[in-house]
Amino acid sequence: MPVVLRDLLDEPNLQVRAVVLPEGAADQPISWLSTTELPDPVPFLRGQELVMTTALLDRSPEEWHDLATRLAAVPVTAICLGIGLVHDEPPAHLVAAARDAGLPLVVSPVEVPFIAISHWLADQIYAETYAAVQTNLQVQDRLVRELLSRRGIDGMLGELRRRLGLDAVVLAEPSGHVLHRSPKSSRWTPVAGEDTEEGSSASSEVLVDDVPVAVLHTVPAPTHAGVLPFAATVLGLELAREQAFLTGRRELLGQVLEDVLHGLVSDHAARNRLRRLGVQADAAQTMVVALLDDSPDRLRRVPWELRSVLAREGDALPTALLEDAVAVVVPDGVDAAAVADDLREQLLRARHQPAIGLGAARRGVAGLRLGYYEARQAAVPDGVGRSAPLSLTGLLLGNLDLPLAELGQEVLGPLLDRDDQAGNHLLLTLRTYLAHDCVPSATAAAMVIHRNTLRYRLEQVEQLLGRDLDRLTDRMELALALAALDAAGGSG
């Protein structure tokens, strides 16, 4: 416990007595003392000092009032007036000024020199500091032992509460949702913005990779500073370790899902492998996919869904980590839209900017594939995108394993080179012709050119590309090449 004014008054050997003692002043801490006879000692004070003086300077009532008011504003803990040397009793003007300012005034007899009070206070502060260090070391040792014991968060919170004699310890999400508490019977719940004066409670953020993933709350606040931040650091290590186990499960499902999506396993083998990981492929499933804005490596290290981390039993819903995405398989009967919204909030808290998409409910291994690509195609960076009828072009272009962009460049290369050199708008002509269902009159009208000009340009396109625009397969290939070029941000 810190040294307070009451401790000084209760020490019989010092013979310090109170002259002015406002309500609650006896419980104010004394951080240090300052002996001064300066006309204005305020610039040299930092707060919570015991200001000791013999009042050697003669001051007017106004000067005493001004000084007492400014000392109370610092605030200092009290003025200690040494009597028997300059004054036999406290000056009446000083007493009145102290009362008006609400500033404690105590006196010490000349038989007790100021140095004796200084030594006593130094011994008390040293003892309090030593006790704090000892307590910190003991708590740190026990928390590290709990970390190594692998008994989990419950064991660590219980040890912290018992070692510090706390009423309750709570681990909560940054949003305020309580994850764990000790004791379990405690009903205390921390309230955002609650009054923490008088040591009623204390909080410390739990960080993993410098990302706040949880908050550690205690009631009352620990007596010794430094214990709570250390406990939060140890809790961060425990959460990171549990996240590593959970990441392993998610990556395993991700590997199986990748094989299923790319058709590397038979449907029968896919059903068996998915079933072992909690996915019933023959039942109706909805895919929720979050496309990540950067490398998912940090997402593998930083807990972004603490309830699954702390449960030690895996995700409540099958969750997979893929190369550039997070996929959640939502079974029939669960609100997939709510799952998507929750996933978005979790990833935002982990400092990602995901694009979230929601597929349609489908059955079977083929339905799982289609639902995944539906969700990818629907993904939007703001909010949650809902699935639309699956576009074959979008499905093909969404498959990053296929070199469609390169093939588009290869197919349209002669046209791109000719356009770049001559500026004859052949690529625009082809694009407009395909966009108007290969109807010459509509194309010519859209481009505001004569039909003979259009016919001449289309003949050049066919010669350069070696394609016949009257053939459906050639039209489809050229349309896909243009779409691939657009998706890659290419020319045209």
Side-chain angles (χ1 to χ4, degrees):
M1 294 292 292
V3 185
V4 298
L5 185 57
R6 186 187 307 280
D7 299 328
L8 178 63
L9 297 173
D10 290 344
E11 177 54 50
N13 294 328
L14 298 180
Q15 303 178 44
V16 176
R17 61 182 176 86
V19 176
V20 177
L21 191 63
E23 183 178 357
D27 296 317
Q28 293 303 307
I30 305 174
S31 64
W32 199 238
L33 54 79
S34 173
T35 302
T36 179
E37 301 295 343
L38 292 173
D40 183 13
V42 171
F44 305 97
L45 301 173
R46 300 174 61 183
Q48 296 187 340
E49 291 95 346
L50 179 68
V51 179
M52 306 183 70
T53 182
T54 61
L56 183 63
L57 295 178
D58 187 24
R59 301 176 191 265
S60 67
E62 292 76 15
E63 289 173 329
W64 275 122
H65 187 275
D66 177 67
L67 179 60
T69 302
R70 295 174 63 222
L71 288 174
V74 172
V76 300
T77 301
I79 294 180
C80 181
L81 177 67
I83 57 174
L85 184 62
V86 178
H87 302 278
D88 292 332
E89 291 296 332
H93 299 313
L94 171 57
V95 175
R99 283 202 179 100
D100 291 343
L103 179 66
L105 172 63
V106 299
V107 296
S108 67
V110 70
E111 295 82 12
V112 180
F114 285 171
I115 192 65
I117 298 176
S118 298
H119 283 170
W120 174 85
L121 180 61
D123 289 344
Q124 298 298 312
I125 291 176
Y126 172 78
E128 192 271 334
T129 302
Y130 179 77
V133 171
Q134 287 292 96
T135 300
N136 284 352
L137 290 176
Q138 291 172 3
V139 172
Q140 291 173 12
D141 177 69
R142 293 307 306 172
L143 288 178
V144 171
R145 288 176 183 271
E146 284 294 328
L147 177 67
L148 298 176
S149 74
R150 301 185 64 176
R151 282 194 286 264
I153 298 295
D154 277 339
M156 298 176 71
L157 295 184
E159 190 64 33
L160 181 65
R161 178 179 61 84
R162 288 188 293 271
R163 288 285 166 178
L164 297 180
L166 302 172
D167 295 336
V169 180
V170 167
L171 183 68
E173 292 179 333
S175 62
H177 173 79
V178 173
L179 298 163
H180 277 261
R181 62 174 75 240
S182 177
K184 292 185 180 297
S185 59
S186 169
R187 296 185 178 276
W188 175 73
T189 299
V191 178
E194 70 177 339
D195 184 11
T196 58
E197 295 180 358
E198 306 294 334
S200 61
S201 65
S203 303
S204 184
E205 283 187 327
V206 179
L207 305 177
V208 177
D209 259 22
D210 294 327
V211 177
V213 297
V215 183
L216 178 63
H217 302 274
T218 71
V219 59
T223 302
H224 303 296
V227 173
L228 205 57
F230 179 83
T233 300
V234 176
L235 284 171
L237 294 175
E238 175 66 13
L239 292 177
R241 182 173 67 180
E242 295 293 347
Q243 172 69 14
F245 286 112
L246 187 60
T247 293
R249 296 187 181 193
R250 290 169 172 168
E251 288 184 326
L252 180 59
L253 179 57
Q255 291 168 7
V256 173
L257 197 56
E258 291 272 13
D259 291 344
V260 170
L261 294 174
H262 297 120
L264 300 180
V265 294
S266 67
D267 283 6
H268 177 72
R271 287 189 187 91
N272 291 335
R273 293 175 64 182
L274 289 168
R275 184 170 56 253
R276 287 194 291 268
L277 295 173
V279 178
Q280 303 299 325
D282 290 331
Q285 314 276 356
T286 300
M287 295 295 296
V288 175
V289 175
L291 303 180
L292 303 178
D293 57 326
D294 56 14
S295 169
D297 289 342
R298 183 161 52 86
L299 200 61
R300 286 162 162 76
R301 299 190 306 270
V302 178
W304 43 274
E305 206 280 293
L306 279 180
R307 298 171 211 185
S308 295
V309 173
L310 297 176
R312 288 185 161 188
E313 297 175 357
D315 292 293
L317 298 175
T319 301
L321 287 174
L322 295 92
E323 183 178 355
D324 66 340
V326 176
V328 182
V329 184
V330 184
D332 194 25
V334 177
D335 187 348
V339 171
D341 289 334
D342 196 31
L343 177 62
R344 181 173 183 273
E345 291 302 318
Q346 292 162 3
L347 294 176
L348 287 174
R349 284 198 297 268
R351 299 181 181 176
H352 284 271
Q353 296 295 324
I356 308 287
L358 185 64
R362 297 180 180 276
R363 294 180 182 273
V365 175
L368 206 62
R369 294 192 191 101
L370 288 174
Y372 173 79
Y373 284 112
E374 267 185 339
R376 282 192 70 105
Q377 182 175 290
V380 294
D382 299 320
V384 176
R386 303 304 181 100
S387 64
L390 193 60
S391 160
L392 181 60
T393 301
L395 178 60
L396 290 173
L397 296 179
N399 190 341
L400 300 181
D401 291 338
L402 299 178
L404 288 178
E406 292 81 359
L407 288 175
Q409 292 278 356
E410 181 72 20
V411 170
L412 298 171
L415 210 57
L416 294 170
D417 294 340
R418 181 65 176 267
D419 267 351
D420 289 343
Q421 294 170 5
N424 54 15
H425 308 298
L426 294 183
L427 190 66
L428 175 61
T429 301
L430 174 61
R431 183 186 296 278
T432 308
Y433 183 64
L434 294 174
H436 287 80
D437 300 325
C438 301
V439 177
S441 59
T443 305
M447 298 189 68
V448 196
I449 59 176
H450 195 274
R451 290 185 62 174
N452 290 338
T453 303
L454 173 63
R455 185 180 301 109
Y456 172 73
R457 290 186 183 179
L458 293 177
E459 288 174 355
Q460 286 188 298
V461 169
E462 290 179 326
Q463 291 173 6
L464 287 170
L465 299 182
R467 300 291 196 279
D468 184 354
L469 290 177
D470 289 332
R471 293 180 59 196
L472 178 60
T473 53
D474 283 352
R475 292 179 183 178
M476 290 176 59
E477 186 176 349
L478 292 174
L480 279 173
L482 285 169
L485 206 63
D486 293 341
S491 173

